[in-house]
Amino acid sequence: MKFISLREIAGYLTQMITIENYRSISSMNSPIILACQGRSGSTTLMRILNSVSGCNICGENWNMIGSLLDFYDNMKKTTLQPGYMREYDGNSFCAWYNVFDPDAVTEDVKKLMRAVFESERFEHWGFKEIRFGLEDYESMETRLNNFAELFPSVKIVFLVRKDVESHVRSGWWADDKEESRKILNDQLKNFSKYSEAYPHRSYMLSMENMLNLDDRFWGLSGFLGMIFEEGKISEILRNKVDYEVKR
């Protein structure tokens, strides 16, 4: 018989007391976005979530989801333009005449996103992406809010690395440490600003939280509505992705 530790249960219960979390947790097929800094442990976090029964988080995809979200946003803006019409009238200002049905297009966008990331076998589905937050805050906010408009139960996890000086010596960031330091700090600001503005659907986590298995990490289980198994997570961390630091 397998026992779940009190620590695991406490982490699960940490953030389940609000009505908003209860509603999102009770929703089936809940999407999850891992918006991460590059070289912050995003693959390890993905592996941790995928160790939970009923969860399937896909890897990166060159932010192709961003193109779909921009398409959806442009479709919405088109319908708000003066002169937008679906029935052609040459006697009126018809510069924005289009035949598409906004509701049908919205459903098609949702179906396409589900086709890319969702499997009926899993209650939770989603993906990780390291390119969110590299754009200006307003663009990031619009994209994430459009996703939330399409999938209201979405949960967004922001993963960062607290030790910036170590970070800029890791992987490709070491190619230009000064520029990397600015990019990472700006991305952190964007993540923090969004998390503060939308706490009901976003959660800030650091690589250090994850590697140390501290209370903040265990609180993630409650935010996502999952039960983390410490044994599985410890095994994943023992075989974690190499965070090589360049000298």
Side-chain angles (χ1 to χ4, degrees):
M1 179 179 294
K2 188 172 189 177
F3 295 95
I4 299 174
S5 70
L6 290 176
R7 185 179 188 184
E8 292 170 90
I9 295 174
Y12 178 72
L13 295 175
T14 298
Q15 295 198 20
M16 291 184 65
I17 58 175
T18 65
I19 294 175
E20 290 82 4
N21 277 336
Y22 174 78
R23 287 174 177 167
S24 66
I25 290 168
S26 63
S27 300
M28 290 298 289
N29 302 109
S30 301
I32 298 169
I33 295 177
L34 304 184
C36 312
Q37 292 186 319
R39 302 291 293 180
S40 66
S42 61
T43 301
T44 298
L45 181 58
M46 179 182 78
R47 292 169 63 208
I48 288 173
L49 296 191
N50 284 344
S51 73
V52 177
S53 177
C55 182
N56 186 60
I57 305 300
C58 295
E60 294 166 45
N61 50 71
W62 287 103
N63 199 23
M64 65 181 183
I65 197 75
S67 300
L68 288 173
L69 292 172
D70 291 344
F71 168 83
Y72 173 67
D73 193 57
N74 288 334
M75 184 273 292
K76 291 195 301 177
K77 289 190 291 188
T78 296
T79 65
L80 299 176
Q81 294 298 316
Y84 167 74
M85 60 179 69
R86 292 183 57 202
E87 297 293 334
Y88 182 73
D89 181 357
N91 295 318
S92 302
F93 179 69
C94 54
W96 291 86
Y97 163 67
N98 282 278
V99 297
F100 65 80
D101 179 346
D103 292 335
V105 171
T106 296
E107 287 305 309
D108 286 342
V109 170
K110 292 170 67 174
K111 287 179 183 177
L112 180 54
M113 290 185 181
R114 287 182 180 276
V116 172
F117 298 114
E118 185 186 24
S119 170
E120 293 180 355
R121 295 180 295 122
F122 300 100
E123 177 182 355
H124 299 279
W125 57 275
F127 60 93
K128 79 179 181 80
E129 181 55 66
I130 64 172
R131 293 163 183 83
F132 281 119
L134 298 179
E135 70 273 58
D136 60 273
Y137 175 76
E138 288 71 22
S139 296
M140 184 194 79
E141 180 185 37
T142 297
R143 283 179 169 179
L144 293 178
N145 284 355
N146 277 331
F147 192 96
E149 190 174 291
L150 293 167
F151 302 101
S153 64
V154 65
K155 294 295 185 180
I156 303 166
V157 181
F158 293 114
L159 182 66
V160 301
R161 192 164 170 172
K162 289 181 179 179
D163 187 349
V164 177
E165 293 311 307
S166 173
H167 205 164
V168 298
R169 299 198 307 274
S170 178
W172 65 87
W173 295 117
D175 295 339
D176 186 339
K177 294 184 180 65
E178 183 176 353
E179 178 64 16
S180 294
R181 191 176 291 108
K182 179 182 183 305
I183 291 172
L184 290 168
N185 283 329
D186 288 345
Q187 191 178 34
L188 173 60
K189 290 177 184 176
N190 286 339
F191 286 175
S192 299
K193 185 174 180 179
Y194 190 93
S195 183
E196 290 172 4
Y198 306 95
H200 58 291
R201 64 168 171 259
S202 57
Y203 193 91
M204 286 291 297
L205 188 73
S206 72
M207 185 180 81
E208 291 81 358
N209 294 142
M210 179 174 62
L211 297 183
N212 293 326
L213 297 181
D214 63 14
D215 289 344
R216 184 67 184 172
F217 169 77
W218 290 107
L220 178 63
S221 65
F223 174 75
L224 296 177
M226 301 176 177
I227 294 181
F228 291 171
E229 295 186 31
E230 191 166 1
K232 288 183 178 180
I233 293 171
S234 296
E235 179 64 25
I236 289 170
L237 294 182
R238 280 194 294 270
N239 297 283
K240 63 182 182 294
V241 175
D242 180 24
Y243 300 107
E244 178 186 357
V245 175
K246 293 184 178 181
R247 302 296 179 186

